[in-house]
Coordinates of all heavy atoms in Angstrom, one line a residue:
M1 N 3.9 17.3 -48.9 CA 2.9 16.7 -48.1 C 3.2 15.1 -47.9 O 3.0 14.5 -46.9 CB 1.4 16.9 -48.5 CG 1.1 18.4 -48.3 SD -0.6 18.7 -49.1 CE -1.6 17.8 -48.0
A2 N 3.7 14.4 -49.1 CA 3.9 13.0 -49.0 C 5.1 12.8 -48.1 O 5.1 11.9 -47.4 CB 4.2 12.6 -50.5
A3 N 6.1 13.8 -48.2 CA 7.3 13.5 -47.4 C 7.0 13.8 -45.9 O 7.5 13.0 -45.0 CB 8.5 14.6 -47.8
Q4 N 6.1 14.7 -45.6 CA 5.7 14.9 -44.2 C 5.0 13.8 -43.6 O 5.1 13.5 -42.5 CB 4.8 16.3 -44.2 CG 4.5 16.6 -42.8 CD 5.8 17.2 -42.1 OE1 6.6 17.9 -42.7 NE2 6.0 16.9 -40.8
A5 N 4.2 13.1 -44.5 CA 3.4 12.0 -44.2 C 4.4 10.8 -43.5 O 4.2 10.1 -42.7 CB 2.5 11.4 -45.2
V6 N 5.6 10.7 -44.3 CA 6.6 9.7 -43.9 C 7.2 10.2 -42.5 O 7.4 9.4 -41.6 CB 7.7 9.7 -45.0 CG1 8.8 8.7 -44.4 CG2 7.0 9.0 -46.3
K7 N 7.5 11.5 -42.5 CA 8.2 12.0 -41.3 C 7.2 11.8 -40.0 O 7.6 11.5 -39.0 CB 8.5 13.4 -41.4 CG 9.1 14.1 -40.2 CD 9.4 15.5 -40.4 CE 10.1 16.1 -39.1 NZ 10.5 17.6 -39.3
D8 N 5.9 12.0 -40.2 CA 4.9 11.8 -39.1 C 4.6 10.5 -38.9 O 3.7 10.2 -38.0 CB 3.8 12.7 -39.5 CG 3.9 14.2 -39.6 OD1 5.0 14.6 -39.1 OD2 3.2 14.9 -40.1
G9 N 5.1 9.5 -39.5 CA 4.8 8.0 -39.3 C 3.5 7.6 -40.0 O 3.1 6.4 -39.7
E10 N 2.9 8.4 -40.8 CA 1.7 8.1 -41.5 C 1.9 7.1 -42.7 O 1.0 6.5 -43.2 CB 0.9 9.3 -41.9 CG 0.5 10.1 -40.6 CD -0.1 11.4 -41.1 OE1 -0.1 11.8 -42.4 OE2 -0.4 12.2 -40.2
A11 N 3.2 7.2 -43.3 CA 3.5 6.3 -44.3 C 5.0 5.9 -44.1 O 5.8 6.3 -43.3 CB 3.5 7.1 -45.7
D12 N 5.3 4.6 -44.8 CA 6.5 4.1 -44.7 C 7.6 4.5 -45.7 O 8.8 4.2 -45.4 CB 6.4 2.5 -44.6 CG 5.5 2.0 -43.6 OD1 5.6 2.3 -42.4 OD2 4.4 1.4 -44.0
A13 N 7.1 5.0 -46.8 CA 8.1 5.3 -47.9 C 7.5 6.3 -48.7 O 6.3 6.7 -48.7 CB 8.4 4.1 -48.7
I14 N 8.3 7.0 -49.5 CA 7.8 8.1 -50.5 C 8.3 7.8 -51.9 O 9.4 7.4 -52.1 CB 8.2 9.6 -50.0 CG1 7.7 10.6 -51.0 CG2 9.7 9.6 -49.8 CD1 8.0 12.0 -50.6
F15 N 7.3 8.1 -52.8 CA 7.7 7.9 -54.2 C 7.3 9.2 -55.0 O 6.3 9.8 -54.7 CB 6.8 6.8 -54.9 CG 6.8 6.8 -56.3 CD1 7.8 6.2 -57.1 CD2 5.7 7.3 -57.0 CE1 7.7 6.2 -58.5 CE2 5.6 7.4 -58.4 CZ 6.6 6.8 -59.1
S16 N 8.1 9.5 -56.0 CA 7.9 10.6 -57.0 C 8.6 10.3 -58.3 O 9.5 9.8 -58.3 CB 8.3 12.0 -56.4 OG 8.0 13.0 -57.3
A17 N 7.8 10.9 -59.2 CA 8.4 11.0 -60.6 C 8.9 12.3 -61.1 O 9.1 12.6 -62.2 CB 7.6 10.3 -61.7
G18 N 8.7 13.2 -60.1 CA 9.0 14.6 -60.3 C 10.4 15.2 -60.2 O 11.3 14.5 -60.5
N19 N 10.4 16.4 -59.7 CA 11.7 17.1 -59.6 C 12.8 16.3 -58.7 O 12.4 16.2 -57.5 CB 11.4 18.4 -59.0 CG 12.6 19.4 -58.9 OD1 13.8 19.0 -58.5 ND2 12.5 20.7 -59.4
T20 N 13.8 15.9 -59.4 CA 14.8 15.1 -58.6 C 15.4 15.8 -57.4 O 15.5 15.2 -56.4 CB 15.9 14.5 -59.6 OG1 15.3 13.8 -60.6 CG2 16.9 13.6 -58.8
G21 N 15.8 17.0 -57.7 CA 16.5 17.8 -56.6 C 15.5 18.1 -55.5 O 15.9 18.0 -54.2
A22 N 14.3 18.3 -55.8 CA 13.3 18.5 -54.7 C 13.1 17.2 -53.9 O 12.9 17.3 -52.6 CB 12.0 19.0 -55.3
L23 N 13.1 16.0 -54.5 CA 12.9 14.8 -53.8 C 14.1 14.6 -53.0 O 13.9 14.1 -51.8 CB 12.7 13.7 -54.8 CG 12.4 12.3 -54.1 CD1 11.2 12.3 -53.4 CD2 12.4 11.2 -55.2
L24 N 15.3 14.9 -53.4 CA 16.4 14.7 -52.6 C 16.4 15.6 -51.4 O 16.8 15.2 -50.3 CB 17.7 15.1 -53.4 CG 18.3 14.1 -54.4 CD1 19.3 14.7 -55.3 CD2 18.9 12.9 -53.6
A25 N 15.9 16.9 -51.6 CA 15.8 17.9 -50.6 C 14.8 17.5 -49.4 O 15.1 17.4 -48.3 CB 15.5 19.2 -51.1
V26 N 13.6 16.8 -49.9 CA 12.7 16.4 -48.8 C 13.2 15.2 -48.2 O 12.9 14.9 -46.9 CB 11.2 16.3 -49.4 CG1 10.8 17.6 -49.8 CG2 11.2 15.2 -50.5

């Protein structure tokens, strides 16, 4: 959902401390 917010222009950047591979994927 955080990544989708960036894609939709609702946010300028995304941050996570979670799954590295999943963050790369999104």
Side-chain angles (χ1 to χ4, degrees):
M1 290 178 67
Q4 191 64 43
V6 176
K7 181 179 180 180
D8 294 342
E10 298 170 359
D12 302 304
I14 176 176
F15 161 83
S16 178
N19 187 310
T20 302
L23 182 65
L24 282 166
V26 296

